[in-house]
Amino acid sequence: MIENNRENMSRGSGKRDAILDLQSMFQTTVQREVSTEGVGLHTGVFGHVKLVPAPADTGIVFRRSDLDNFQIEASGRNVARVSYATSLMKQGVLLSTTEHLLAAIYSSGLDNVYIDIDAIEVPILDGSAEPFLRLLDEAGVRKLRRRRRYLKITKPVEVIEADRRMGIYPCDEFHVQCYVDFPHPLVGAQQIEMTVQPESFRNLLARARTFCFERDIEPLRSMGLIRGGSLENAIVLTDDGVLNGPLRFLDEFGRHKALDLIGDLALVGLPLLGRVEAYKAGHALHTQLVSLVLSDSSAWTITTEDERPAEVLVRAEAPAAFI
Ligand SMILES: [Zn+2]
């Protein structure tokens, strides 16, 4: 199914959003353990992933279950080398290709979860975030008795590298604008702009798959990358078309880049209140910005939802389950 771009990219606020905001005052974790498995895109190593409930203020934490549950927090402080995927490393222990799973978790408003994994790389599955969203659906949400904390941007932070640039700016919601431009007849210039919420992520980005150019396959293989790549987990672009169509969206490439961006922004470690602009960026620039933000505590403040106007707070009823 091919859908068109531009519609519905932004969502207005209204009473329903106020209710969503109120519900999101509290931290969440998964209701139950769920698991999936598959091959890693770059290493080709088969691995099992299990999402496990975690207490409040844990954040998103990977545990290498093949290495005595060694913990690697999903934090910009643990970013390792970054090229065609985002890898985390702590004390020499590596975990690769975290971005699609993190995009699903972060966009879903899940604050705390252990991600147990027995391999060096997160499975690529179909190359999108949709299988991870299904996994989260299966897991369900448990609300915790602790207020959610947000990282609210208070002054601009920018990185520029040649013709690529990225910035984050003050805003009352989590908003992204992602611009890509690849010299290919099916890609060209594509721009995605949206407020990131569970629904908008599910509808607009989750199904967009990773992609590569056919001419890059051999060079990447010789670099030891995409050993697990196949026509089932990546769109392969030929010089003038697609090897394994159909596309899921006409602008699937731009949407996937926005998905990657959100997955990398998860590394700030808390839900974001800020507007992010990414212009021809990629994992390297994304993680550079995250590191810059984390290292400059004058650029943000930590806040909770109860600092919002009282009018919003009294309008909706909070679910009785967690009061
Ligand atoms: Zn990706």
Side-chain angles (χ1 to χ4, degrees):
M1 178 177 59
I2 293 186
E3 294 169 22
N4 211 340
N5 181 12
R6 310 287 186 263
E7 300 158 27
N8 238 351
M9 283 292 179
S10 298
R11 282 168 190 271
S13 53
K15 185 172 179 183
R16 193 160 161 277
D17 288 333
I19 293 170
L20 283 173
D21 283 347
L22 189 71
Q23 288 180 342
S24 69
M25 280 172 60
F26 292 88
Q27 294 186 29
T28 60
T29 186
V30 288
Q31 183 70 35
R32 62 188 74 81
E33 290 186 9
V34 286
S35 52
T36 187
E37 59 186 38
V39 73
L41 175 63
H42 291 297
T43 59
V45 172
F46 195 88
H48 302 81
V49 173
K50 187 162 69 175
L51 305 184
V52 179
D57 295 333
T58 303
I60 304 168
V61 178
F62 291 95
R63 297 193 296 200
R64 282 285 300 268
S65 50
D66 56 333
L67 295 173
D68 288 333
N69 275 350
F70 184 85
Q71 294 198 2
I72 308 176
E73 298 78 17
S75 163
R77 294 184 180 88
N78 293 329
V79 170
R81 56 186 166 76
V82 174
S83 53
Y84 293 91
T86 297
S87 299
L88 302 178
M89 185 156 72
K90 188 176 159 191
Q91 295 171 27
V93 177
L94 189 68
L95 185 68
S96 284
T97 319
T98 54
E99 59 269 23
H100 302 164
L101 174 55
L102 288 183
I105 289 173
Y106 199 47
S107 301
S108 299
L110 191 63
D111 303 278
N112 307 291
V113 63
Y114 291 118
I115 305 167
D116 291 355
I117 178 161
D118 62 355
I120 194 171
E121 187 174 11
V122 176
I124 190 67
L125 304 176
D126 75 348
S128 78
E130 191 185 37
F132 293 123
L133 271 194
R134 281 205 300 269
L135 193 64
L136 289 168
D137 289 343
E138 193 189 326
V141 177
R142 182 189 303 170
K143 295 209 185 286
L144 302 170
R145 292 170 179 270
R146 192 79 56 87
R147 287 194 189 279
R148 171 174 289 160
R149 294 179 310 141
Y150 292 82
L151 191 142
K152 184 176 172 64
I153 299 297
T154 52
K155 76 175 193 195
V157 180
E158 294 172 324
V159 278
I160 298 172
E161 209 169 71
D163 66 336
R164 302 161 183 269
R165 63 174 188 267
M166 200 173 155
I168 186 163
Y169 309 93
C171 183
D172 286 337
E173 51 189 13
F174 179 24
H175 191 87
V176 298
Q177 187 178 340
C178 179
Y179 176 89
V180 301
D181 192 359
F182 290 99
H184 186 279
L186 286 184
V187 190
Q190 298 183 348
Q191 180 166 290
I192 304 299
E193 183 172 2
M194 59 186 278
T195 297
V196 184
Q197 289 173 339
E199 259 182 272
S200 61
F201 180 80
R202 182 182 296 270
N203 295 334
L204 302 173
L205 303 188
R207 296 176 67 244
R209 294 161 297 168
T210 193
F211 59 95
C212 73
F213 291 89
E214 190 179 26
R215 61 173 180 270
D216 292 337
I217 289 178
E218 278 321 308
L220 287 169
R221 287 241 158 96
S222 65
M223 289 163 66
L225 295 167
I226 63 167
R227 289 177 186 172
S230 76
L231 296 178
E232 275 69 56
N233 58 31
I235 305 165
V236 179
L237 288 161
T238 59
D239 284 341
D240 53 5
V242 174
L243 198 62
N244 52 344
L247 296 177
R248 293 178 175 177
F249 307 94
L250 285 173
D251 59 350
E252 188 164 359
F253 315 98
R255 291 184 195 233
H256 186 79
K257 286 292 180 184
L259 185 164
D260 280 344
L261 169 64
I262 292 167
D264 288 340
L265 289 169
L267 299 174
V268 301
L270 285 175
L272 259 177
L273 296 175
R275 181 173 59 81
V276 179
E277 282 180 19
Y279 181 85
K280 295 169 78 170
H283 295 303
L285 219 55
H286 300 164
T287 54
Q288 219 178 306
L289 185 86
V290 167
S291 297
L292 259 181
V293 167
L294 291 179
S295 66
D296 182 0
S297 59
S298 71
W300 43 268
T301 177
I302 306 287
T303 178
T304 57
E305 275 299 293
D306 57 3
E307 288 161 18
R308 292 213 164 187
E311 185 199 351
V312 175
L313 295 180
V314 296
R315 203 182 316 154
E317 284 177 29
F322 59 94
I323 294 295

